[in-house]
Amino acid sequence: MTSFQQARIDLGSQLRQLREAAHLSGKELAERLRWQPSKVSRLENARQTATEDDVVVWAQAVGASPDTTDGLLRQSIALLERHDDWKQRHRSGLAALQEDVRDLESRTKLFRVFEPGIIVGLLQTSEYARHVFQKVKRLYSAADQIDAAVRVRMQRQEILYDRTRTFRFVVSEAALRTALAPPEVMRGQLDRLLAVSTLPNVEFGVIPFGTELPANPINGFWIYNEAMVAVATMTKDLILRDPDDIAFYVRAFDDYAKAAELEESGREVIMAILHEYRKQSPH
């Protein structure tokens, strides 16, 4: 067990003790907080990391003292700022990881996402997502929760239809051509992108192969509001909260967005690739 997972277990145990001291069941606490009961269980059993907001409202609901709340907040912040070990995270379950991400997304109004080699999770079809999770399971020896992980990823996508949120996605043409699934699945995935790109709160851009890039696209990254950047590597998920780091990635995103084909021009790139996939059809 990693020190990260042990710290998450310790925090969950303290949260449970506070709930029990307040004579509340998990269901009763969830009702007070307007959460799904499963979230209380995930936090207490270290299947999800409690955010600062989670800790604050939990402490208020159970009547925790200011000193206790401050101590829990320090633990939560330390966990969220840690470089998270992907292998350990995936072993805790693919579905639990998706729940973590969905919880973060629920607190985000402005999404800026750059991906150089994969379709963004929020835009994946269930078939494409299944193939991605199968590869993740093999690579990280992840717990076999593919059906549940796909289900949660699809549930996450409901947020796209919330007009109070803004989504800006930029991908390279390579992301659309990288065959992470069979041709028929890739065709369905590209059709999905064409549909989602027309949503009024979604900006979807593609950087074609012939366009000079403003920087080397080493990693994808997600910018959540102006508060946090998540940068995924093969073994670590870097969570950046320093204002200078965030400003750097905002500038990088803006540079990639300027190089991208947007709206109808972007859809033309997608349709050209889709036409090539259709030519691969056995029919």
Side-chain angles (χ1 to χ4, degrees), residues 42 56 73 93 109 123 130 150 172 174 188 220 226 240 263 267:
R42 291 196 305 273
V56 169
L73 277 172
K109 291 295 186 181
L123 306 179
R130 182 172 300 279
V150 171
S172 70
E226 304 289 343
L240 309 175
E263 299 181 348
R267 283 189 281 275

Side-chain angles (χ1 to χ4, degrees), residues 58-116:
W58 188 300
Q60 291 173 343
V62 301
S65 70
D67 286 345
T68 297
T69 302
D70 287 345
L72 293 172
L73 277 172
R74 284 194 294 272
Q75 293 177 62
S76 173
I77 292 169
L79 279 169
L80 292 168
E81 290 181 344
R82 289 276 295 278
H83 289 185
D84 202 348
D85 183 284
W86 272 60
K87 188 172 184 179
Q88 197 61 240
R89 288 178 70 201
H90 282 99
R91 283 181 173 172
S92 71
L94 295 169
L97 274 175
Q98 290 303 301
E99 293 284 5
D100 273 349
V101 175
R102 181 166 65 166
D103 196 57
L104 172 59
E105 290 169 345
S106 71
R107 302 191 303 276
T108 303
K109 291 295 186 181
L110 172 60
F111 296 75
R112 283 165 288 187
V113 184
F114 172 70
E115 284 290 0

Side-chain angles (χ1 to χ4, degrees), residues 14 52 56 196:
Q14 292 174 65
E52 296 169 64
V56 169
V196 173

Side-chain angles (χ1 to χ4, degrees), residues 86 90 93-99 101 118 121 124-154 156-157 180-181:
W86 272 60
H90 282 99
L94 295 169
L97 274 175
Q98 290 303 301
E99 293 284 5
V101 175
I118 189 171
Q124 293 177 4
T125 65
S126 59
E127 294 85 0
Y128 182 95
R130 182 172 300 279
H131 283 275
V132 169
F133 284 131
Q134 286 170 347
K135 291 173 174 59
V136 169
K137 178 182 181 300
R138 180 190 61 79
L139 185 61
Y140 296 99
S141 301
D144 189 4
Q145 298 179 324
I146 291 176
D147 288 344
V150 171
R151 183 172 62 252
V152 178
R153 176 159 285 182
M154 295 304 102
R156 283 173 51 202
Q157 296 182 7
L180 291 175

